[in-house]
Amino acid sequence: MAASARSFRELSLLLALALCSALASSVDGETSRRFWIENDAFWKDGEQFQIVGGDVHYFRIIPEYWKDRLLRAKALGLNTIQTYVPWNLHEPEPRSWEFRGFSDIESYLRLAHELEMLVMLRVGPYICGGNFILC
């Protein structure tokens, strides 16, 4: 396996663990939490659900402003936040992981959870979402 593919797999695993950690408090004692697609509709926890989402990229916002920006998104009617997970931000050098400050995705996910917002993670090695530094 190529080093880059192995590193991406390891980063994906770390992100999955961070996500599980961030959401662990929401599932204690709750067995009814589910999300599925049926009859061309989304269903969440037994009720039909419409995703109203927008992008709020944690790595483009000063962490001290995350809560403000998420609350503003929620005030606009959003119930879901979408964000890229830039691989090269979290692994600036091979096998060197960064999850502090702008890179603290776990805190960002916990905050979104506390504000009762869902998160769609766009995990990938390349995002090229208008930021040449992170491409």
Side-chain angles (χ1 to χ4, degrees):
M1 181 182 301
S4 61
R6 186 173 44 252
S7 293
F8 178 68
R9 193 180 84 217
E10 291 169 357
L11 177 60
S12 296
L13 178 60
L14 284 172
L15 291 173
L17 292 172
L19 177 61
C20 290
S21 173
L23 299 178
S25 62
S26 68
V27 295
D28 291 340
E30 296 181 32
T31 57
S32 65
R33 296 192 56 92
R34 263 182 79 198
F35 184 85
W36 71 98
I37 302 170
E38 183 179 300
N39 299 324
D40 292 328
F42 293 122
W43 293 80
K44 180 180 171 290
D45 302 334
E47 297 182 16
Q48 197 165 354
F49 180 76
Q50 181 177 3
I51 294 173
V52 182
D55 287 28
V56 181
H57 302 149
Y58 64 97
F59 54 90
R60 292 184 172 149
I61 302 168
I62 297 171
E64 291 79 12
Y65 292 164
W66 286 347
K67 185 172 185 177
D68 174 74
R69 298 314 188 258
L70 291 176
L71 286 171
R72 288 172 188 248
K74 190 170 184 172
L76 290 170
L78 276 61
N79 60 20
T80 305
I81 294 301
Q82 301 158 18
T83 186
Y84 291 109
V85 180
W87 178 15
N88 52 345
L89 178 68
H90 294 289
E91 187 185 13
E93 297 176 18
R95 300 194 164 301
S96 172
W97 307 103
E98 181 61 51
F99 291 98
R100 294 180 307 229
F102 285 93
S103 303
D104 189 356
I105 189 170
E106 183 179 355
S107 293
Y108 185 77
L109 294 175
R110 284 186 186 280
L111 179 60
H113 176 72
E114 289 169 15
L115 298 175
E116 299 179 348
M117 299 189 81
L118 299 176
V119 177
M120 290 181 166
L121 291 179
R122 296 181 188 168
V123 180
Y126 306 103
I127 61 168
C128 292
N131 191 330
F132 297 110
I133 294 171
L134 296 176
C135 289

